[in-house]
Amino acid sequence: MTTHTTGPAVLTDRDGPVVRLVINRPHRRNSLTADDVRLLRDALEAAAADPRTRAVVVEGTGGTLCSGMDLAELSADQQTKGGSDFFDLLRRITEVPVTVLASVDGQVLGGGVGLAAACDLVLATERSTFALPEALWGLLPCAILPFLMRRVGFQRAYAMTLSTATVSASDARSFGLVDELEGTHGQQRRRLLGRVTKIDRPTVAEAKAYCARLAPLPDTARDHAGEVFARLLDSPVVRTRIDNFVRHQRMPWEV
């Protein structure tokens, strides 16, 4: 198996019909800049465009799948465009004619929860956790919620938003954010990939299109998410909290 870098934040490799996309910013807890989102989208499109591909696996290095958009970029006031691009990435995951599997082994925060929720299947080890901490900053997971609600329902997504509580892998499995819990030797991943790679690409495309009609994303979701998030981000309190974190690593609840 040959690994090569498509950019500073995304690694890709192919193993027969399976392409791995690895978020590779462990020094920033695999947070994403707007440029990184575009790199991940380009890598997804390249994998899906290759007729050999039957499955794409999204994972992260350093014990974190993804922690959402990079707060340093938030403080630079570039988030509105980056958030719209992130929404487009999540929506595209739901459309590409291959099965997309999120493979989680550790922490998933903020936008990472949306990334997992948009995937067709989510596999997680027992040590994995999921949380939406945005409200602690005075923000909301605007681009994430349409995909999370589509997967787990209104109340579960609402409770994760307002409680900001960490959800264990087993609890996430019980309400549908996680589809399978991984064993100690990766047998579930091998089993899932062995099955989904036997399905023809046109069948996957038809399944995604049909199910999207049964549980559609609202037509206004993308624009509404961008408008609300931009308004919240403009708050002086929010900007002070973000700047304090970027400059001094001070969390919003620390005086």
Side-chain angles (χ1 to χ4, degrees):
M1 186 184 299
T2 302
T3 301
H4 61 278
T5 303
T6 61
V10 180
L11 306 174
T12 71
D13 68 47
R14 173 179 292 279
D15 184 7
V18 179
V19 175
R20 292 171 63 235
L21 306 182
V22 184
I23 302 171
N24 186 42
R25 299 186 80 220
H27 61 292
R28 300 291 294 172
R29 300 174 77 185
N30 288 343
S31 61
L32 299 172
T33 67
D35 286 342
D36 298 332
V37 170
R38 287 189 287 274
L39 285 172
L40 191 55
R41 168 73 181 267
D42 289 347
L44 174 69
E45 296 289 4
D50 191 321
R52 296 175 295 169
T53 306
R54 293 292 185 273
V56 171
V57 178
V58 180
E59 55 190 285
T61 57
T64 301
L65 174 67
C66 177
S67 58
M69 300 302 291
D70 194 316
L71 285 177
E73 185 165 278
L74 280 172
S75 68
D77 201 23
Q78 300 170 349
Q79 174 61 20
T80 301
K81 180 63 166 63
S84 296
D85 287 346
F86 188 66
F87 186 98
D88 290 341
L89 167 66
L90 301 189
R91 181 163 55 191
R92 189 63 182 140
I93 288 172
T94 71
E95 297 170 344
V96 292
V98 296
T99 301
V100 184
L101 168 70
S103 183
V104 181
D105 181 29
Q107 192 177 51
V108 187
L109 295 171
V113 174
L115 185 62
C119 289
D120 304 306
L121 297 168
V122 178
L123 182 68
T125 61
E126 289 279 4
R127 77 187 190 106
S128 301
T129 59
F130 302 80
L132 296 177
E134 285 87 344
L136 297 171
W137 300 89
L139 297 169
L140 292 173
C142 298
I144 300 160
L145 282 172
F147 300 91
L148 185 60
M149 287 183 182
R150 188 175 184 240
R151 178 176 263 273
V152 305
F154 174 86
Q155 185 55 38
R156 291 293 186 183
Y158 186 55
M160 287 184 70
T161 300
L162 286 186
S163 72
T164 71
T166 297
V167 176
S168 69
S170 59
D171 284 345
R173 173 71 177 88
S174 71
F175 61 74
L177 179 54
V178 169
D179 296 297
E180 298 282 353
L181 292 177
E182 181 58 279
T184 55
H185 302 294
Q187 63 269 31
Q188 290 297 93
R189 174 164 163 164
R190 289 193 297 272
R191 181 184 65 82
L192 280 173
L193 290 175
R195 293 183 70 87
V196 302
T197 53
K198 293 179 174 67
I199 303 174
D200 293 335
R201 287 168 57 102
T203 303
V204 174
E206 289 284 359
K208 289 193 173 187
Y210 180 72
C211 292
R213 291 290 298 272
L214 298 177
L217 293 169
D219 292 337
T220 59
R222 180 184 186 272
D223 290 343
H224 186 53
E227 291 167 4
V228 173
F229 197 86
R231 174 169 51 81
L232 294 173
L233 191 61
D234 278 341
S235 163
V237 172
V238 171
R239 299 223 61 83
T240 296
R241 289 171 178 168
I242 292 172
D243 288 343
N244 282 338
F245 177 78
V246 172
R247 295 177 184 177
H248 310 295
Q249 296 299 297
R250 186 179 303 152
M251 302 305 290
W253 52 87
E254 296 174 343
V255 179

